[in-house]
Every structure is written in C-alpha cells, then in structure tokens.
Amino acid sequence: MEFLVRIWVIGFVAITPIILIIGNGPMTSLSQYWNTPYQALFILANAITSYFFFSTPKWRNPSFFLMLTTAFSLEYHPDVHNILATTFFILCLFALYKSNRFQYYFYLFLISMFIMPLNLLYGEIAGILILAAYHAQVLIYKYRLDNRHDNN
C-alpha cells in the first residue's frame, strides 16, 4: 500500500506544474502561482513533496528548505524566498550527487539548473520532472528488490 501511495504522490507532483500552466497560463516561475486561484494546489504539492522527502533518507534537508520556500511567499518575502528556493535546488543536486544509484539523474538535474537562468519556469519544471523520475525509479527498484527477497 505504501508503494502505491508514494507512486501516486510522485505522479501528482509531476503533473502539478502542467495543471498550473493549463489552468492559469505560463508565469515566470512556479512560485508565481502562489498569487493565483491555484494557490492551494501549489501549497499542497509542495507540502506533499516536503513530507515525501522528509520520509526519504538523505532528502530531509531539501524537505526543510522546500517547506520554508513555501512559507515565505514571493510576494511578501522575495529575497528570503529566492534564497530558500535556490538552496532547495542546490540541496537536491547535492542529494542526487551523494546517491549511489542512478547517477545520471545528477547530470540531468544539473542541466535543469542551467536552464533556470534562461527560463526559470521551464528550468523548475524540468528539475521537478527529473526529481520525480529519480524517486519513481528508486521506489520501483526497491519495491522489486523487496519482492524478490520476499518470494525467495
């Protein structure tokens, strides 16, 4: 059951930016959706992601910074928000770097960070999709490994 919940969370978080763009049009960054009718979806996706990261070894620091990024809105605390968001993405990159499996996600995520100065929204979306794919692959890998051991 936990496997299915985690897969659902990954899928939900992966499609959230697409829903935001379809519903409200493209903005300069995902944080801009805080000031739209899609604020609740934006907050929910970040809260679920933070919870998921917090329950995943080596992802607690990014979890903490994502929650802080969400708490300090771009509208009222732009400098703090931008520092926290940047720290979140750097900590994600570091967590991918420290990972022993699927190292190519580190390089893909690094590319997404180079996209961000050119187009922040699409760089963020690329990063989110890369993180979702990484976590899905790790989850499926562990699920198959656990089931192989359970069946033997």
Side-chain angles (χ1 to χ4, degrees), residues 2 9 19 26-27 34 38 42 50 75-77 85-86 89 91 99 124 126-128 130 132-133 135-137:
E2 181 180 344
V9 165
I19 294 169
M27 302 188 86
W34 176 274
Y38 293 87
F42 171 79
S50 291
E75 181 179 6
Y76 296 111
H77 310 282
T86 301
F89 281 105
L91 288 172
S99 174
E124 289 174 326
I128 288 167
I130 291 162
H135 285 283
Q137 188 166 3

Side-chain angles (χ1 to χ4, degrees), residues 38-111:
Y38 293 87
Q39 180 186 68
L41 179 61
F42 171 79
I43 293 170
L44 182 62
N46 283 356
I48 289 172
T49 302
S50 291
Y51 180 79
F52 178 86
F53 279 178
F54 191 78
S55 67
T56 306
K58 299 180 184 176
W59 287 86
R60 288 196 171 153
N61 288 334
S63 168
F64 179 69
F65 278 87
L66 179 58
M67 190 51 64
L68 286 175
T69 299
T70 306
F72 289 92
S73 74
L74 187 59
E75 181 179 6
Y76 296 111
H77 310 282
D79 293 335
V80 173
H81 176 87
N82 289 335
I83 290 168
L84 293 170
T86 301
T87 304
F88 164 73
F89 281 105
I90 290 169
L91 288 172
C92 287
L93 183 67
F94 187 67
L96 289 170
Y97 178 76
K98 290 188 339 184
S99 174
N100 295 329
R101 292 187 181 91
F102 315 119
Q103 277 288 300
Y104 52 91
Y105 284 106
F106 166 78
Y107 298 104
L108 292 172
F109 193 77
L110 184 61
I111 291 168

